[in-house]
Every structure is written in C-alpha cells, then in structure tokens.
Amino acid sequence: MEFNTKLLHGKSILSNPAREILPPISQVTAFKYESMEELEKVFLHKSMGFAYSRIGNPTLSAFEQRINELEGGVGAVSCSSGMSAITTALLGVCSAGDEIIACSGLYGGTISLFHDLEKFGIHTVFVREMTPETVRAAITDRTKVVFGELISNPALKVLDVPAVAEVAHEAKIPLFIDSTTATPYIAKPLALGADVVIHSTSKYINGGGNSIGGIIVDGGKMAWDFEKHSVLAPFKKYAKRAFLIRLRTDLWENMGGCMAPANAFLNCIGLDTLGIRMERICSNADRLARALAAIPGIQVNYLTLEDHPYHVYVEKELGGLGGGILNFRVGSKEKAFAVIDALKYALIASNIGDIRTLVIHPASTLYIHTSQEEREAAGVFEDTIRVSVGIEDAEDLVNDFVSAVQSVSDTGEA
Ligand SMILES: *Cc1c(COP(=O)(O)O)cnc(C)c1O
C-alpha cells in the first residue's frame, strides 16, 4: 500500500462492533465490568481492556495504532501536547545526574524544557551542529539519550539520522527524534535508525489547527543496557519493548499527561488527509521559496533550494521534499513587521502545520526568552520571517508575498 491508501485502509484502521467508519469518541472517564475478577485481570494486564481514560481509552488507542503503523514502531503513547510527549519520553530514560545531548537550534519550547530539567539534575550538552563527530565528543558515562529534530524548526537543519544513530548505539545510547516538521509523509526516522519518534500532533498531523496533542512511538529496536539505563531495569523482561512498557504502565500513566479522547478523534480525521496536505504544502513552499529568492535583497532559507547547506539530505532522507516551513530575511526588524502586516492571506499566528498559511516574526515572539546565541543557532535573526506554508493556491500565495515584499521596498521603509 502506498501512503494515502495506507492512511485510509491500513491494518490499524480497526473495525468495531457498531461498524462506525471513524473511531467513536469514547468521552468517558471510566469503564465498567461485570465482575471484580474481570477488572482485576485488566489491572494485571492479563486481559485486554480499559479501566480509566488516563491509562487507556479506545479513541486514543485507535489514534496511537494508526501513528504507530505509519512510523513502523512497536507501540505508541499519545500525550496532552508535543511538550508533554517530549518531557515524558526524556524522563522515560533520564533521572537526576544524567545527561542529554541535543543540538542547539531546536524548537524554542524544547530548549526551555532543557533549561527546566537542569533544576531536576538533568543536564543537557548542546552541540552547535549535530554530526557523528560532535556527538561522539559530547558523550560521557552519564549520557542517556541523544535528542534531535529531523528537520529543525525554524533553523531547517536536517539530522543525519543513520550516522548519528550509529555513534549513539556504539555507546549504548538511544537516539530520540522529534519529527514534527517532517511528518511520516516525508520521512520515517525509525527506518533511518532512530529508536524513538516524537510528534507534536498539534501541527501537521492534526492539520486543521483545532487541538493540542503529542505522541511518542517506540521503534522497539534498541538493545537496552539495563545497567546504564537503570530506570528501565524493572522492565527488563520486556527486552526491546522496555521503554514502551515503562511509559505505558509507569511514567506516562503517573505523570497524567494523556490526550483528550475528543482530540484523538480530531487527530484521526486530520491524519486521513496528511498525505495530500503535505504534497500540496511542500509544492507550495518550494514555489514560494523560489519566487522570494528571485527578489534582490531577500535571503531565503528553504531546503529544496540548491544552495541550502543541508540540501543533500533532501534526496538522502526527505524523499525529495523540503517540508512546510520556510524562513526569509528582509533586512531589518521594521521591514519584517511591515512585510508581515502587508500580507493579505497569511495569518499572523504562533503555530505551524495549519492548512492556512501562517507567518510570524520569531525573534520578537517564539525566541523572546532565549539568548542571542541560541537564537542565531536557530537561524532566527532580527529580520527573519517564518512562514508555515498552507494549502492555498500557489499563485495567490506567491502574489501575496511578492507584493508585500515589493510594497515595503518601494516605500523605502526602514
Ligand atoms: C510545536 C512543536 C513542539 C511542541 O508541541 P506542542 O504541541 O505545542 O506542545 C515540539 N517540537 C516541535 C518541532 C514543534 O514544532
């Protein structure tokens, strides 16, 4: 099955007794049983079943199984937000005294989370570029995980997953990938060698901009060293599924960051059209990037442009696609604000992955609480505009952006 057919007819599209075409929303807190013995079996994981929606719910399960099938994992856990998914996944392998290796230039919220984790004794070592060499040099006895974004938001650095995974695995460390911006349509990090994939489903997976959510998928291939990852030791009998079972029966359940059933339903609807949306979004973004790059004085950061520093990975890892985010620089903060205000169709909003084109000035919003150095590592300058390209008609989008840029340079503003 190709991608779109699999979305609609894959084996994770479960049939259910009432024959609904879509997974029904199980908007309930708890599930009732005929006898105490039956409920005991559910609690002992001796029989399949649901007890309480923080721990498991049929709508969440339907959504988890679909993402798991697309990513090729052994199981998935859905969370209340992308940040909740990242936090839960990291705490699934780290405790006080441990270290994380991450690339600078990640999503701003994730960088802030790494700062928060310092207060719990978990230290993050940032490498400016994540390569096999920088990762190898940063590994210590305390390193428990290497964390990266496949396509970083908004820097648009692409991670060489097979090469970095190899270095991590030599040191018995897993590679966790935030693949929010890539989506399973563009790339499958587990097949490239990563151990765990995380998504903020709030973005492309939902697609309609109607609910916050996140998900963690375990690839089930990591040969855990239970002395090194002692937090997983109680789950040793599950071998390569130890991380998933720790989340399922322990950390995720206890932290309480579950997804709401209604959001899982909305995410399932969004998922149905992920393939066609991404196809359109990537082709729109490529056309818009080329049109903007042709304007003198405008610097464009988009992966399919031949001079992009990470261009080789477009064919190597991203199936020839550049994703939905592009950034461009217009010369000054004042010009950036003026261009944004002159746009007719692009909405000024702090989000990505919507079907509507969205724009923002990251330096004065998403990166307002980070240092100058962290900003620049994320490709965020005073004059950078970030665009999350939508599914509008390409001609209209190109005309809107080109006229906005031209109107600002014509008036000689700033
Ligand atoms: C938005 C985003 C997150 C955080 O997700 P939320 O659903 O907003 O909590 C994490 N990583 C990346 C790359 C994102 O774009």
Side-chain angles (χ1 to χ4, degrees):
M1 269 188 273
E2 295 298 318
F3 192 84
N4 289 300
T5 313
K6 198 176 193 176
L7 278 177
L8 304 175
H9 305 287
K11 63 180 184 314
S12 57
I13 306 290
L14 305 173
S15 55
N16 54 61
R19 303 179 183 276
E20 292 102 333
I21 283 176
L22 295 170
I25 308 175
S26 290
Q27 190 67 30
V28 293
T29 308
F31 301 80
K32 64 179 167 137
Y33 285 82
E34 293 304 316
S35 69
M36 205 38 243
E37 284 73 21
E38 271 184 63
L39 185 56
E40 182 186 32
K41 278 190 193 139
V42 172
F43 270 77
L44 290 171
H45 306 290
K46 284 190 177 154
S47 76
M48 294 282 282
F50 300 98
Y52 188 67
S53 284
R54 167 162 52 73
I55 300 167
N57 172 289
T59 321
L60 300 197
S61 188
F63 175 58
E64 287 162 351
Q65 292 186 41
R66 291 187 69 186
I67 296 283
N68 185 54
E69 181 180 7
L70 288 180
E71 290 290 9
V74 293
V77 174
S78 49
C79 300
S80 56
S81 67
M83 290 317 303
S84 161
I86 295 172
T87 310
T88 308
L90 291 172
L91 295 183
V93 288
C94 294
S95 54
D98 291 343
E99 289 178 359
I100 298 166
I101 298 175
C103 186
S104 46
L106 296 174
Y107 175 70
T110 307
I111 294 180
S112 301
L113 171 67
F114 288 136
H115 294 326
D116 286 331
L117 290 178
E118 296 284 343
K119 292 157 205 148
F120 296 89
I122 299 170
H123 175 60
T124 301
V125 178
F126 286 101
V127 293
R128 201 172 164 104
E129 299 293 324
M130 187 168 266
T131 64
E133 295 72 33
T134 59
V135 170
R136 187 175 284 121
I139 291 176
T140 71
D141 287 347
R142 287 191 275 210
T143 311
K144 293 293 155 65
V145 58
V146 177
F147 181 93
E149 286 171 8
L150 183 54
I151 304 177
S152 68
N153 166 21
L156 305 186
K157 294 178 183 179
V158 183
L159 193 68
D160 187 339
V161 176
V164 170
E166 197 183 321
V167 171
H169 292 160
E170 279 165 15
K172 301 180 170 176
I173 301 166
L175 174 63
F176 285 15
I177 294 290
D178 177 343
S179 196
T180 300
T181 48
T183 80
Y185 180 73
I186 296 184
K188 311 253 188 330
L190 298 177
L192 293 171
D195 301 290
V196 169
V197 179
I198 302 162
H199 289 281
S200 163
T201 59
S202 322
K203 317 293 173 54
Y204 294 99
I205 287 177
N206 176 280
N210 60 47
S211 48
I212 296 288
I215 196 159
I216 307 165
V217 186
D218 183 1
K221 292 209 189 80
M222 180 70 193
W224 298 102
D225 172 339
F226 294 99
E227 271 171 45
K228 183 177 206 44
H229 287 95
S230 54
V231 288
L232 294 181
F235 305 92
K236 197 170 171 175
K237 69 171 181 195
Y238 299 105
K240 293 191 173 180
R241 291 162 54 96
F243 174 72
L244 178 72
I245 306 301
R246 158 140 163 91
L247 297 187
R248 257 286 153 234
T249 64
D250 184 27
L251 186 71
W252 170 79
E253 170 177 325
N254 295 336
M255 283 182 53
C258 58
M259 183 179 278
N263 288 356
F265 173 77
L266 292 169
N267 290 335
C268 283
I269 296 180
L271 199 53
D272 289 340
T273 58
L274 179 68
I276 52 168
R277 280 187 286 112
M278 289 315 290
E279 189 182 339
R280 171 72 165 238
I281 284 172
C282 292
S283 105
N284 276 359
D286 179 77
R287 282 188 58 183
L288 183 58
R290 287 175 201 282
L292 288 169
I295 305 175
I298 302 296
Q299 269 186 55
V300 183
N301 175 4
Y302 187 65
L303 283 164
T304 57
L305 297 180
E306 288 67 20
D307 60 355
H308 194 282
Y310 290 84
H311 184 71
V312 292
Y313 294 103
V314 170
E315 289 304 330
K316 246 170 104 175
E317 293 190 357
L318 309 179
L321 300 170
I325 298 179
L326 73 84
N327 303 290
F328 64 106
R329 297 180 64 182
V330 293
S332 68
K333 177 179 173 181
E334 291 69 26
K335 276 194 181 175
F337 272 39
V339 168
I340 289 175
D341 291 348
L343 289 165
K344 272 193 302 198
Y345 302 128
L347 310 180
I348 303 174
S350 166
N351 188 17
I352 58 166
D354 199 295
I355 41 176
R356 291 154 274 259
T357 296
L358 311 176
V359 281
I360 201 159
H361 180 254
S364 58
T365 53
L366 311 169
Y367 282 81
I368 197 146
H369 299 302
T370 52
S371 68
Q372 176 88 5
E373 199 195 335
E374 283 171 340
R375 267 183 216 180
E376 296 196 351
V380 171
F381 301 90
E382 276 301 296
D383 62 339
T384 302
I385 298 174
R386 185 188 73 184
V387 188
S388 169
V389 179
I391 63 167
E392 296 89 346
D393 292 298
E395 290 77 7
D396 288 334
L397 272 187
V398 166
N399 287 340
D400 193 18
F401 277 83
V402 170
S403 343
V405 169
Q406 281 168 350
S407 73
V408 171
S409 35
D410 291 349
T411 58
E413 222 171 303

